[in-house]
Amino acid sequence: MTSHDGGRTGTEREPTRRRLLQVVGTVGMLGTAGCLGETLPDGSTAATAEPAGTGSSGTTTRRVDDGTVTDATGRTVALPGSIEDVVAVGPGALNLVAYLDAVDMVVGVEENEHSWGKNIPYNVANPDLRDRRIVGPHKGGDPELIVDADPDLVVATYFTAGAAKDLQNKIDRPVIVVKAQSRPLHRLRKAYGDLRFLAKVLGKEDRAETVIDRLASERTALNERTADIPDEERRDAYFAGRSDSGGAGATSTQHPFAPFAFVDADNVADAISGHATVNEEKLLTWDPAVIFVSGSNLDRVREAFSAGQYSNLTAVEEGNLYALLPTRFYGNLYGNVLADAYYVGKVLYPERFSDVDPIARADELYGTLFRTDVDVYDELAERFGGFGRVQLGA
């Protein structure tokens, strides 16, 4: 039996050679992976990994065979006969474990889950994660502290093959990489593959299909509401405050932006691919009818749009600025993406979403994704502002 209060019960394992390993320092877990981040309350950055390549094998194909797994870096790793206790490190790793209703298997978490990470939906839905022992800093943890947690398996994201092998050698436990590169938020099938792969390792296949079915059905439902809207009835929209390596302001944006893509909204930034910071003149030329703002950078964007140079923007003149929940905060937040999409649809096409309460829909989504009755939306709204019109200063 495993205790999650920082230690083990009377039936804990006898000390082993691997527990007695003398491990020093923190591994550079993410190798050459670049990081994007949300601004934290203390001014530091919560990393959201961008493409790190596919590891030395050049493949992202993953499979589980009898007793072994070929992970996202192409490494073949022997699995233990029984997996009861896990540690998940890297952006989005713990989110996948939570989707699979496997939080009870987690014996240690990165330090951020006790601090700024408390505002991430999986932590709001599972507040007991804050009681797990700390296994080191975010983006990979500390080998010595991971050994102290004594997991059967380490689940990692955004590791190179070399970094995963290095950690495995240091802790003498198997390390599998679920994903080695970023997953585009508007392409949910990539997330389905991550879930199915990890579910097979953890014995949670049925749960994975429940989550995937909900994500897929919501994606389809959103498309059915908006796919036949005539082009002349579509309103131009712009997304502001897309975080990079730190905070971001009004000119930091994204295309494709998943909540827009899911409701077929016209993104005025369609000339870019991925994330970009555009100049002020470009934004003024685009002159979007509606602007949506990431809640993680709400204050920065509000300050920018309160300045005189943006006063002639149609969205500013008409007061059509609206706040969204962050879609990336230490990994991709698929529940927030879908909730945001319903709110975007409600704002842009109210007649098509007249039967939808975006807040109620958000709570329904969190309830399914995390099997929780916690009011996740309310806590997120307290931290990030929630859905609503953004009021600019004088």
Side-chain angles (χ1 to χ4, degrees), residues 72 124 134 163 216 243 284 300 346:
V124 175
I134 293 174
S243 287
L284 291 169
R300 289 170 180 258
K346 184 82 170 183

Side-chain angles (χ1 to χ4, degrees), residues 329-346:
F329 199 77
Y330 203 53
N332 293 343
L333 305 179
Y334 298 103
N336 284 12
V337 169
L338 289 167
D340 281 352
Y342 274 103
Y343 184 61
V344 169
K346 184 82 170 183

Side-chain angles (χ1 to χ4, degrees), residues 9 19 36 62 84 94 100 115 124 150 157 166 195 198 257 265 292 329:
T9 65
R19 179 184 282 276
L36 301 179
R62 298 152 297 169
E84 296 180 1
L94 192 53
L100 295 175
S115 53
V124 175
D150 198 21
T157 56
D166 190 31
L195 283 165
L198 183 57
F257 178 54
F292 293 91
F329 199 77

